[in-house]
Coordinates of all heavy atoms in Angstrom, one line a residue:
M177 N -16.3 169.3 221.5 CA -17.3 168.3 221.7 C -16.6 166.9 221.7 O -15.9 166.5 220.8 CB -18.3 168.3 220.5 CG -19.4 167.4 220.6 SD -20.8 167.8 219.6 CE -20.2 167.5 218.0
G178 N -16.8 166.2 222.8 CA -16.2 164.9 223.0 C -17.2 163.7 222.7 O -18.3 164.0 222.3
I179 N -16.6 162.5 222.9 CA -17.5 161.4 222.7 C -18.4 161.2 223.8 O -18.0 161.4 225.0 CB -16.6 160.1 222.5 CG1 -15.6 160.3 221.3 CG2 -17.4 158.8 222.4 CD1 -14.6 159.2 221.2
E180 N -19.7 160.8 223.6 CA -20.6 160.6 224.6 C -20.1 159.6 225.6 O -19.6 158.6 225.1 CB -22.0 160.2 224.0 CG -22.7 161.3 223.2 CD -23.0 162.5 224.0 OE1 -23.5 162.3 225.2 OE2 -22.9 163.6 223.5
P181 N -20.2 159.7 226.9 CA -19.7 158.8 227.9 C -20.1 157.3 227.6 O -19.3 156.4 227.8 CB -20.3 159.3 229.2 CG -20.5 160.7 229.0 CD -20.9 160.9 227.5
Q182 N -21.3 157.1 227.1 CA -21.7 155.7 226.9 C -21.0 155.1 225.8 O -21.1 153.9 225.6 CB -23.3 155.6 226.8 CG -23.8 156.3 225.5 CD -24.2 157.7 225.8 OE1 -23.7 158.4 226.6 NE2 -25.2 158.2 225.1
F183 N -20.4 155.9 224.9 CA -19.7 155.3 223.8 C -18.1 155.2 224.0 O -17.4 154.9 223.1 CB -20.0 156.1 222.5 CG -21.5 156.0 222.2 CD1 -22.2 157.2 222.1 CD2 -22.1 154.8 222.0 CE1 -23.6 157.1 221.8 CE2 -23.4 154.7 221.7 CZ -24.2 155.9 221.6
Q184 N -17.7 155.6 225.2 CA -16.2 155.6 225.4 C -15.8 154.1 225.6 O -16.5 153.3 226.0 CB -15.9 156.3 226.7 CG -16.1 157.8 226.6 CD -15.7 158.5 227.9 OE1 -16.0 158.0 228.9 NE2 -15.1 159.7 227.8
K185 N -14.5 153.9 225.2 CA -13.9 152.6 225.5 C -13.6 152.4 227.0 O -13.5 153.4 227.7 CB -12.6 152.5 224.7 CG -12.8 152.4 223.2 CD -11.4 152.3 222.5 CE -11.6 152.3 221.0 NZ -10.3 152.3 220.3
V186 N -13.5 151.2 227.4 CA -13.2 150.9 228.8 C -11.9 151.6 229.2 O -11.8 152.2 230.3 CB -13.0 149.4 229.0 CG1 -12.5 149.1 230.4 CG2 -14.4 148.7 228.8
E187 N -10.9 151.6 228.4 CA -9.6 152.2 228.7 C -9.8 153.7 229.0 O -9.2 154.3 229.9 CB -8.6 152.0 227.6 CG -8.1 150.6 227.4 CD -9.1 149.7 226.7 OE1 -10.0 150.3 226.1 OE2 -8.9 148.5 226.7
E188 N -10.7 154.4 228.2 CA -10.9 155.8 228.4 C -11.7 156.0 229.7 O -11.4 157.0 230.4 CB -11.7 156.3 227.2 CG -10.9 156.4 225.9 CD -11.7 156.6 224.7 OE1 -13.0 156.4 224.7 OE2 -11.2 157.0 223.6
K189 N -12.6 155.2 230.0 CA -13.3 155.3 231.3 C -12.4 155.1 232.5 O -12.5 155.8 233.5 CB -14.5 154.4 231.3 CG -15.6 154.7 230.3 CD -16.8 153.9 230.6 CE -17.9 154.4 229.7 NZ -19.2 153.9 230.0
L190 N -11.5 154.1 232.4 CA -10.6 153.8 233.5 C -9.6 155.0 233.7 O -9.2 155.3 234.8 CB -9.8 152.6 233.2 CG -10.5 151.3 233.3 CD1 -9.6 150.1 232.8 CD2 -11.0 151.0 234.7
F191 N -9.3 155.7 232.6 CA -8.4 156.9 232.7 C -9.0 158.0 233.5 O -8.3 158.8 234.1 CB -8.1 157.4 231.3 CG -7.0 158.4 231.3 CD1 -5.7 158.1 231.6 CD2 -7.3 159.7 231.0 CE1 -4.7 159.0 231.6 CE2 -6.3 160.7 231.0 CZ -5.0 160.4 231.3
Q192 N -10.3 158.0 233.7 CA -11.0 159.0 234.5 C -10.8 158.8 236.0 O -11.1 159.7 236.8 CB -12.4 159.1 234.1 CG -12.6 159.6 232.7 CD -14.0 159.6 232.2 OE1 -14.9 158.9 232.8 NE2 -14.3 160.3 231.1
N193 N -10.4 157.6 236.4 CA -10.2 157.3 237.8 C -8.9 157.8 238.2 O -8.0 158.1 237.4 CB -10.3 155.8 238.0 CG -11.6 155.2 237.7 OD1 -12.6 155.8 237.9 ND2 -11.6 154.0 237.2
R194 N -8.7 158.0 239.5 CA -7.4 158.4 240.0 C -7.0 157.3 241.0 O -7.9 156.7 241.7 CB -7.5 159.7 240.7 CG -7.8 160.9 239.8 CD -6.7 161.1 238.8 NE -7.1 162.2 237.9 CZ -7.7 162.0 236.7 NH1 -8.0 160.8 236.3 NH2 -8.0 163.1 236.0
Y195 N -5.7 157.0 241.1 CA -5.3 156.0 242.0 C -4.1 156.5 242.9 O -3.1 157.0 242.3 CB -4.8 154.7 241.3 CG -4.6 153.5 242.1 CD1 -5.6 152.7 242.4 CD2 -3.4 153.3 242.7 CE1 -5.5 151.6 243.2 CE2 -3.2 152.2 243.5 CZ -4.2 151.4 243.8 OH -4.0 150.3 244.6
L196 N -4.2 156.4 244.2 CA -3.1 156.9 245.0 C -2.4 155.6 245.5 O -2.9 154.8 246.2 CB -3.7 157.7 246.2 CG -2.7 158.4 247.1 CD1 -1.8 159.3 246.2 CD2 -3.3 159.2 248.2
V197 N -1.1 155.5 245.0 CA -0.3 154.3 245.3 C 0.2 154.4 246.8 O 0.7 155.4 247.2 CB 0.9 154.2 244.3 CG1 1.8 153.1 244.7 CG2 0.4 154.1 242.9
D198 N 0.1 153.3 247.5 CA 0.6 153.1 248.8 C 2.0 152.4 248.6 O 2.0 151.2 248.7 CB -0.3 152.3 249.7 CG 0.1 152.4 251.2 OD1 1.1 153.0 251.5 OD2 -0.7 151.8 252.0
S199 N 3.0 153.2 248.4 CA 4.3 152.6 248.0 C 4.8 151.5 249.0 O 4.8 151.8 250.2 CB 5.4 153.7 247.9 OG 5.0 154.5 246.8
G200 N 5.2 150.4 248.4 CA 5.7 149.3 249.2 C 4.7 148.6 250.0 O 5.1 147.6 250.8
Q201 N 3.4 148.9 249.9 CA 2.4 148.2 250.7 C 1.2 147.8 249.8 O 0.1 148.4 250.0 CB 1.9 149.1 251.9 CG 3.0 149.4 252.8 CD 2.5 149.7 254.2 OE1 1.6 148.9 254.7 NE2 2.9 150.7 254.9
P202 N 1.5 146.9 248.8 CA 0.4 146.5 248.0 C -0.7 145.8 248.8 O -0.4 145.0 249.7 CB 1.0 145.5 247.0 CG 2.2 145.0 247.7 CD 2.7 146.2 248.6
H203 N -2.0 146.1 248.5 CA -3.1 145.6 249.3 C -3.5 144.2 248.8 O -4.3 143.5 249.5 CB -4.3 146.5 249.3 CG -4.9 146.7 247.9 ND1 -4.4 147.4 246.9 CD2 -6.1 146.2 247.4 CE1 -5.2 147.4 245.9 NE2 -6.2 146.6 246.1
I204 N -2.9 143.7 247.7 CA -3.1 142.4 247.2 C -1.8 141.8 246.9 O -0.9 142.5 246.3 CB -4.0 142.3 245.9 CG1 -5.3 143.1 246.1 CG2 -4.3 140.9 245.5 CD1 -6.1 143.3 244.8
K205 N -1.6 140.5 247.3 CA -0.3 139.9 247.0 C -0.6 138.5 246.5 O -1.4 137.8 246.9 CB 0.6 139.7 248.3 CG 1.0 141.1 248.8 CD 1.8 140.9 250.1 CE 2.1 142.2 250.8 NZ 2.4 142.1 252.2
V206 N 0.2 138.1 245.5 CA 0.1 136.7 244.9 C 1.1 135.9 245.7 O 2.3 136.3 245.9 CB 0.5 136.7 243.4 CG1 0.6 135.3 242.9 CG2 -0.5 137.5 242.6
M207 N 0.7 134.8 246.2 CA 1.5 133.9 247.0 C 2.5 133.2 246.1 O 2.3 133.0 244.9 CB 0.7 132.8 247.7 CG -0.4 133.5 248.7 SD 0.3 134.7 249.8 CE 1.2 133.7 250.9
P208 N 3.7 132.9 246.6 CA 4.8 132.3 245.8 C 4.2 131.0 245.2 O 3.6 130.2 245.9 CB 5.9 132.0 246.8 CG 5.7 133.0 247.9 CD 4.2 133.2 248.0
H209 N 4.6 130.7 243.9 CA 4.2 129.5 243.3 C 5.1 129.1 242.2 O 5.8 130.0 241.6 CB 2.7 129.6 242.7 CG 2.6 130.8 241.7 ND1 2.4 132.1 242.1 CD2 2.7 130.8 240.4 CE1 2.3 132.8 241.1 NE2 2.5 132.1 240.0
D210 N 5.2 127.8 241.9 CA 6.1 127.4 240.7 C 5.3 127.5 239.4 O 5.7 128.0 238.4 CB 6.6 126.0 241.0 CG 7.6 126.0 242.1 OD1 8.3 127.0 242.3 OD2 7.6 125.0 242.9
K211 N 4.1 126.8 239.5 CA 3.2 126.8 238.3 C 1.9 127.4 238.7 O 1.3 127.0 239.7 CB 3.0 125.3 237.9 CG 2.3 125.2 236.6 CD 2.3 123.7 236.2 CE 1.3 123.5 235.1 NZ 0.7 122.3 235.0
P212 N 1.4 128.4 238.0 CA 0.1 129.1 238.4 C -1.1 128.1 238.2 O -1.1 127.3 237.3 CB 0.1 130.3 237.5 CG 0.9 129.9 236.3 CD 2.0 129.0 236.8
S213 N -2.0 128.3 239.1 CA -3.3 127.5 239.0 C -4.1 128.1 237.9 O -3.8 129.1 237.3 CB -4.1 127.7 240.3 OG -4.5 129.0 240.4
K214 N -5.2 127.3 237.5 CA -6.1 127.8 236.5 C -6.7 129.1 236.9 O -6.9 130.0 236.0 CB -7.2 126.8 236.3 CG -7.0 125.8 235.2 CD -8.1 124.9 234.8 CE -9.3 124.8 235.7 NZ -10.2 123.8 235.4
N215 N -7.0 129.3 238.1 CA -7.7 130.5 238.6 C -6.7 131.7 238.5 O -7.1 132.8 238.0 CB -8.2 130.4 240.0 CG -9.4 129.6 240.1 OD1 -10.0 129.2 239.1 ND2 -9.8 129.2 241.3
L216 N -5.5 131.5 238.9 CA -4.5 132.6 238.7 C -4.3 133.0 237.3 O -4.2 134.2 236.9 CB -3.1 132.2 239.4 CG -2.9 132.5 240.8 CD1 -1.6 132.1 241.3 CD2 -3.1 134.0 241.1
L217 N -4.2 132.0 236.4 CA -4.0 132.3 235.0 C -5.2 133.0 234.5 O -5.1 134.0 233.6 CB -3.8 131.0 234.2 CG -2.4 130.5 234.2 CD1 -2.4 129.1 233.5 CD2 -1.4 131.4 233.5
A218 N -6.4 132.6 234.9 CA -7.6 133.3 234.5 C -7.6 134.8 234.8 O -8.1 135.6 234.1 CB -8.8 132.6 235.1
M219 N -7.0 135.1 235.9 CA -7.0 136.5 236.3 C -6.2 137.4 235.4 O -6.5 138.6 235.3 CB -6.4 136.7 237.8 CG -7.3 136.2 238.9 SD -9.0 136.7 238.7 CE -8.8 138.5 238.6
T220 N -5.3 136.8 234.6 CA -4.6 137.6 233.6 C -5.6 138.1 232.5 O -5.3 139.0 231.7 CB -3.4 136.9 232.9 OG1 -3.9 135.7 232.2 CG2 -2.5 136.4 234.0
H221 N -6.8 137.5 232.4 CA -7.8 137.9 231.4 C -9.0 138.6 232.1 O -9.7 139.3 231.5 CB -8.3 136.7 230.6 CG -7.2 136.0 229.9 ND1 -6.6 136.5 228.8 CD2 -6.6 134.8 230.2 CE1 -5.7 135.6 228.3 NE2 -5.6 134.6 229.2
L222 N -9.2 138.2 233.4 CA -10.5 138.7 234.0 C -10.3 140.0 234.7 O -11.3 140.7 234.8 CB -10.9 137.6 235.0 CG -11.4 136.3 234.5 CD1 -11.7 135.3 235.6 CD2 -12.6 136.5 233.6
C223 N -9.2 140.3 235.2 CA -9.1 141.6 236.0 C -9.4 142.8 235.1 O -8.7 143.0 234.1 CB -7.6 141.7 236.5 SG -7.4 143.3 237.3
P224 N -10.4 143.6 235.4 CA -10.8 144.7 234.6 C -9.7 145.8 234.5 O -9.8 146.6 233.6 CB -12.1 145.2 235.2 CG -12.0 144.8 236.6 CD -11.2 143.5 236.6
A225 N -8.8 145.8 235.5 CA -7.8 146.9 235.5 C -6.5 146.4 234.9 O -5.5 147.1 234.8 CB -7.6 147.4 236.9
G226 N -6.4 145.1 234.5 CA -5.2 144.5 233.9 C -4.1 144.5 234.9 O -2.9 144.6 234.6
C227 N -4.4 144.2 236.2 CA -3.3 144.1 237.2 C -2.5 142.8 237.2 O -1.4 142.8 237.7 CB -4.0 144.3 238.6 SG -4.7 145.9 238.9
Y228 N -3.1 141.8 236.6 CA -2.4 140.5 236.6 C -1.7 140.3 235.2 O -2.3 140.6 234.2 CB -3.4 139.3 236.9 CG -3.9 139.3 238.3 CD1 -4.9 140.1 238.8 CD2 -3.3 138.4 239.2 CE1 -5.3 140.0 240.1 CE2 -3.7 138.3 240.5 CZ -4.7 139.1 240.9 OH -5.1 139.0 242.2
S229 N -0.5 139.7 235.3 CA 0.1 139.3 234.0 C 1.0 138.1 234.3 O 1.2 137.7 235.4 CB 1.0 140.5 233.6 OG 2.0 140.8 234.6
Q230 N 1.3 137.4 233.2 CA 2.2 136.2 233.3 C 3.6 136.6 232.9 O 3.8 137.1 231.8 CB 1.6 135.1 232.4 CG 2.3 133.8 232.7 CD 1.6 132.6 232.0 OE1 0.8 132.8 231.1 NE2 1.8 131.4 232.6
A231 N 4.5 136.3 233.8 CA 5.9 136.6 233.5 C 6.5 135.5 232.6 O 5.9 134.5 232.3 CB 6.7 136.6 234.8
E232 N 7.7 135.8 232.1 CA 8.4 134.9 231.1 C 8.6 133.5 231.8 O 8.6 132.5 231.1 CB 9.7 135.4 230.7 CG 9.5 136.5 229.6 CD 10.8 137.0 229.1 OE1 11.8 136.4 229.3 OE2 10.8 138.1 228.4
N233 N 8.8 133.5 233.1 CA 9.0 132.2 233.8 C 7.7 131.4 234.0 O 7.7 130.4 234.6 CB 9.8 132.4 235.1 CG 9.0 133.2 236.1 OD1 7.8 133.5 235.9 ND2 9.6 133.6 237.2
G234 N 6.6 132.0 233.6 CA 5.3 131.3 233.7 C 4.5 131.7 234.9 O 3.3 131.4 235.0
Q235 N 5.2 132.3 235.9 CA 4.5 132.7 237.1 C 3.6 133.9 236.9 O 3.9 134.8 236.0 CB 5.5 133.0 238.2 CG 6.3 131.8 238.6 CD 7.3 132.1 239.7 OE1 7.5 133.3 240.1 NE2 7.9 131.1 240.3
V236 N 2.5 134.0 237.6 CA 1.5 135.1 237.5 C 2.0 136.2 238.5 O 2.2 135.9 239.7 CB 0.1 134.6 237.8 CG1 -0.8 135.8 237.9 CG2 -0.4 133.7 236.7
E237 N 2.1 137.4 238.0 CA 2.5 138.5 238.8 C 1.3 139.5 238.9 O 0.4 139.6 238.1 CB 3.7 139.2 238.2 CG 4.9 138.3 238.1 CD 6.0 139.0 237.3 OE1 5.8 139.9 236.6 OE2 7.2 138.6 237.5
L238 N 1.4 140.4 239.9 CA 0.4 141.4 240.1 C 1.0 142.7 240.4 O 2.0 142.9 241.2 CB -0.4 141.0 241.4 CG -1.4 142.0 241.9 CD1 -2.7 142.0 241.1 CD2 -1.7 141.7 243.4
T239 N 0.5 143.7 239.7 CA 0.8 145.1 240.1 C -0.5 145.7 240.5 O -1.5 145.9 239.7 CB 1.3 145.9 238.8 OG1 2.4 145.2 238.3 CG2 1.7 147.3 239.2
A240 N -0.6 146.0 241.8 CA -1.9 146.4 242.4 C -2.3 147.8 242.1 O -3.4 148.2 242.3 CB -1.9 146.2 243.9
D241 N -1.3 148.6 241.5 CA -1.7 150.0 241.2 C -2.8 150.0 240.1 O -2.7 149.3 239.1 CB -0.4 150.7 240.5 CG 0.8 150.6 241.5 OD1 0.7 150.1 242.6 OD2 1.8 151.1 241.0
G242 N -3.8 150.8 240.4 CA -4.9 150.8 239.4 C -6.0 149.9 239.7 O -7.1 149.9 239.1
C243 N -5.9 149.0 240.8 CA -6.9 148.1 241.2 C -8.2 148.8 241.5 O -8.2 149.8 242.1 CB -6.5 147.3 242.4 SG -7.8 146.3 243.2
L244 N -9.3 148.3 240.9 CA -10.6 148.9 241.1 C -11.4 148.4 242.3 O -12.5 148.8 242.5 CB -11.5 148.6 239.8 CG -10.9 149.1 238.5 CD1 -11.7 148.5 237.3 CD2 -10.8 150.6 238.5
E245 N -10.7 147.4 243.0 CA -11.4 146.8 244.2 C -12.7 146.2 243.9 O -13.6 146.2 244.6 CB -11.5 147.9 245.3 CG -10.2 148.5 245.8 CD -10.4 149.6 246.8 OE1 -11.5 149.7 247.5 OE2 -9.5 150.5 246.9
C246 N -12.7 145.5 242.7 CA -14.0 144.9 242.3 C -14.2 143.6 243.0 O -15.3 143.1 243.1 CB -13.9 144.7 240.7 SG -12.8 143.4 240.2
G247 N -13.1 143.0 243.5 CA -13.3 141.7 244.2 C -13.2 140.5 243.4 O -13.3 139.4 244.0
T248 N -13.1 140.5 242.1 CA -13.1 139.3 241.3 C -12.0 138.4 241.7 O -12.2 137.2 241.9 CB -12.9 139.7 239.8 OG1 -13.9 140.6 239.4 CG2 -13.0 138.4 238.9
C249 N -10.8 138.9 241.9 CA -9.7 138.0 242.3 C -9.8 137.5 243.7 O -9.4 136.4 244.0 CB -8.3 138.7 242.0 SG -8.1 140.2 243.0
R250 N -10.5 138.3 244.5 CA -10.7 137.9 245.9 C -11.6 136.7 245.9 O -11.4 135.7 246.7 CB -11.3 139.0 246.7 CG -11.4 138.7 248.1 CD -11.9 139.9 248.9 NE -11.6 139.8 250.3 CZ -11.9 140.7 251.3 NH1 -12.5 141.8 250.9 NH2 -11.5 140.4 252.5
I251 N -12.7 136.7 245.1 CA -13.6 135.6 245.1 C -13.0 134.4 244.5 O -13.1 133.3 245.0 CB -14.9 136.0 244.3 CG1 -15.6 137.1 245.1 CG2 -15.7 134.8 244.0 CD1 -16.7 137.7 244.3
L252 N -12.2 134.6 243.4 CA -11.7 133.4 242.7 C -10.4 132.8 243.3 O -10.3 131.6 243.3 CB -11.3 133.9 241.3 CG -11.2 132.8 240.2 CD1 -12.6 132.1 240.0 CD2 -10.8 133.5 238.8
C253 N -9.5 133.6 243.9 CA -8.2 133.1 244.3 C -8.0 133.1 245.8 O -7.1 132.4 246.3 CB -7.1 133.9 243.6 SG -7.2 133.8 241.8
E254 N -8.6 134.0 246.6 CA -8.3 134.1 248.0 C -8.7 132.8 248.8 O -8.0 132.4 249.6 CB -8.9 135.3 248.6 CG -8.4 135.6 250.0 CD -9.1 136.7 250.7 OE1 -10.3 136.9 250.6 OE2 -8.3 137.5 251.4
P255 N -9.9 132.2 248.5 CA -10.3 131.0 249.3 C -9.3 129.9 249.2 O -9.1 129.1 250.2 CB -11.6 130.6 248.7 CG -12.2 131.8 248.1 CD -11.0 132.6 247.6
A256 N -8.6 129.7 248.1 CA -7.6 128.7 247.9 C -6.2 129.1 248.4 O -5.2 128.4 248.3 CB -7.5 128.2 246.5
G257 N -6.1 130.3 248.9 CA -4.8 130.8 249.5 C -3.8 131.2 248.4 O -2.6 131.3 248.7
E258 N -4.3 131.5 247.2 CA -3.4 131.8 246.1 C -3.0 133.3 246.2 O -2.0 133.7 245.6 CB -4.1 131.5 244.8 CG -4.3 130.0 244.6 CD -5.2 129.7 243.5 OE1 -6.3 130.3 243.4 OE2 -4.9 128.9 242.6
I259 N -3.8 134.1 246.8 CA -3.5 135.5 247.0 C -4.0 135.9 248.4 O -4.7 135.2 249.1 CB -4.3 136.5 246.0 CG1 -5.8 136.4 246.2 CG2 -3.9 136.1 244.6 CD1 -6.6 137.5 245.5
T260 N -3.4 137.0 248.9 CA -4.0 137.7 250.1 C -4.6 139.0 249.6 O -4.1 139.6 248.6 CB -2.9 138.0 251.1 OG1 -1.9 138.8 250.5 CG2 -2.3 136.7 251.6
W261 N -5.7 139.4 250.2 CA -6.5 140.5 249.6 C -7.0 141.3 250.8 O -7.6 140.8 251.7 CB -7.7 140.0 248.8 CG -8.3 141.0 247.9 CD1 -8.2 140.9 246.5 CD2 -9.2 142.1 248.2 NE1 -8.9 141.9 245.9 CE2 -9.5 142.7 246.9 CE3 -9.7 142.6 249.3 CZ2 -10.4 143.8 246.8 CZ3 -10.5 143.7 249.3 CH2 -10.8 144.3 248.0
E262 N -6.6 142.6 250.9 CA -7.1 143.5 251.9 C -7.5 144.8 251.1 O -7.0 145.1 250.1 CB -6.1 143.9 252.9 CG -5.6 142.7 253.7 CD -4.5 143.0 254.6 OE1 -4.1 144.2 254.7 OE2 -4.0 142.1 255.3
Y263 N -8.4 145.6 251.7 CA -8.6 146.9 251.2 C -7.4 147.8 251.4 O -6.7 147.6 252.4 CB -9.8 147.6 251.9 CG -11.2 147.0 251.3 CD1 -11.9 146.2 252.1 CD2 -11.6 147.4 250.1 CE1 -13.1 145.7 251.6 CE2 -12.8 146.9 249.6 CZ -13.5 146.0 250.4 OH -14.7 145.5 249.9
P264 N -7.1 148.7 250.5 CA -6.0 149.6 250.8 C -6.2 150.4 252.1 O -7.3 150.6 252.6 CB -6.0 150.6 249.6 CG -6.9 149.9 248.5 CD -7.8 149.1 249.3
R265 N -5.1 150.9 252.6 CA -5.2 151.7 253.8 C -6.0 153.0 253.5 O -6.0 153.4 252.4 CB -3.8 152.1 254.3 CG -3.0 150.9 254.8 CD -1.7 151.4 255.6 NE -0.8 152.2 254.7 CZ 0.0 153.0 255.2 NH1 0.1 153.3 256.5 NH2 0.8 153.7 254.3
G266 N -6.5 153.5 254.6 CA -7.3 154.7 254.4 C -6.6 155.8 253.6 O -5.4 156.1 253.9
G267 N -7.3 156.4 252.6 CA -6.6 157.5 251.9 C -5.9 157.0 250.6 O -5.6 157.8 249.8
Y268 N -5.7 155.7 250.5 CA -5.0 155.1 249.3 C -5.9 154.4 248.5 O -7.0 154.0 248.9 CB -3.8 154.2 249.8 CG -2.7 155.0 250.5 CD1 -2.6 155.0 251.9 CD2 -1.7 155.7 249.7 CE1 -1.6 155.7 252.5 CE2 -0.7 156.4 250.4 CZ -0.7 156.4 251.8 OH 0.3 157.1 252.4
G269 N -5.5 154.0 247.3 CA -6.3 153.2 246.4 C -7.1 154.0 245.4 O -6.7 155.1 245.0
I270 N -8.1 153.5 244.9 CA -8.9 154.0 243.8 C -9.8 155.2 244.2 O -10.4 155.1 245.3 CB -9.7 152.9 243.1 CG1 -10.3 153.4 241.8 CG2 -10.8 152.3 244.0 CD1 -9.3 153.4 240.7
L271 N -9.9 156.2 243.4 CA -10.9 157.3 243.6 C -11.7 157.3 242.4 O -11.2 157.5 241.3 CB -10.1 158.6 243.8 CG -9.2 158.7 244.9 CD1 -8.3 160.0 244.8 CD2 -9.9 158.6 246.3
F272 N -13.0 157.1 242.5 CA -13.9 157.0 241.4 C -14.6 158.3 241.0 O -15.3 158.4 240.0 CB -15.0 156.0 241.6 CG -14.5 154.6 241.7 CD1 -14.4 153.9 242.8 CD2 -14.1 153.9 240.5 CE1 -14.0 152.6 242.9 CE2 -13.7 152.6 240.5 CZ -13.6 152.0 241.7
K273 N -14.4 159.4 241.8 CA -15.3 160.5 241.7 C -15.0 161.4 240.4 O -15.7 162.3 240.2 CB -15.1 161.4 242.9 CG -13.8 162.0 243.1 CD -13.7 162.7 244.5 CE -12.3 163.1 244.8 NZ -12.3 163.7 246.1
F274 N -14.0 161.0 239.6 CA -13.7 161.8 238.4 C -14.4 161.3 237.2 O -14.4 162.0 236.2 CB -12.2 161.9 238.2 CG -11.4 162.5 239.4 CD1 -10.9 161.7 240.3 CD2 -11.4 163.8 239.6 CE1 -10.2 162.2 241.4 CE2 -10.7 164.4 240.7 CZ -10.1 163.5 241.6
G275 N -14.9 160.1 237.2 CA -15.5 159.5 236.0 C -17.0 159.7 236.0 O -17.6 160.2 236.8
Ligands
LIG493 FE1 -8.3 143.4 239.4 FE2 -10.6 143.5 240.7 FE3 -8.6 142.0 241.7 FE4 -8.4 144.7 241.7 S1 -9.9 143.4 242.9 S2 -6.8 143.3 241.1 S3 -9.4 145.2 239.8 S4 -9.7 141.7 239.8

């Protein structure tokens, strides 16, 4: 007997997804920067999949593996040219059918 789905933690629900990595071809890229903007820094807290992090040198980095394609970073950062955002190539990316 497991925990009812509505009482699972977010991490447990995310674990039910599957992600097919398109090696060497991330569908989102952070543009080079010296000092991250407020929006880029915000993504280290807002991304539901935890794809954004801040490196020791202060720059914001992205690991697109596990991206849920929610579009939050696209709305916040793409208009200002801070990131490039495309859907993964066909057959790659997130698969939601297991959760
Ligand atoms: Fe994170 Fe959503 Fe952006 Fe993917 S689209 S990196 S899940 S904020």
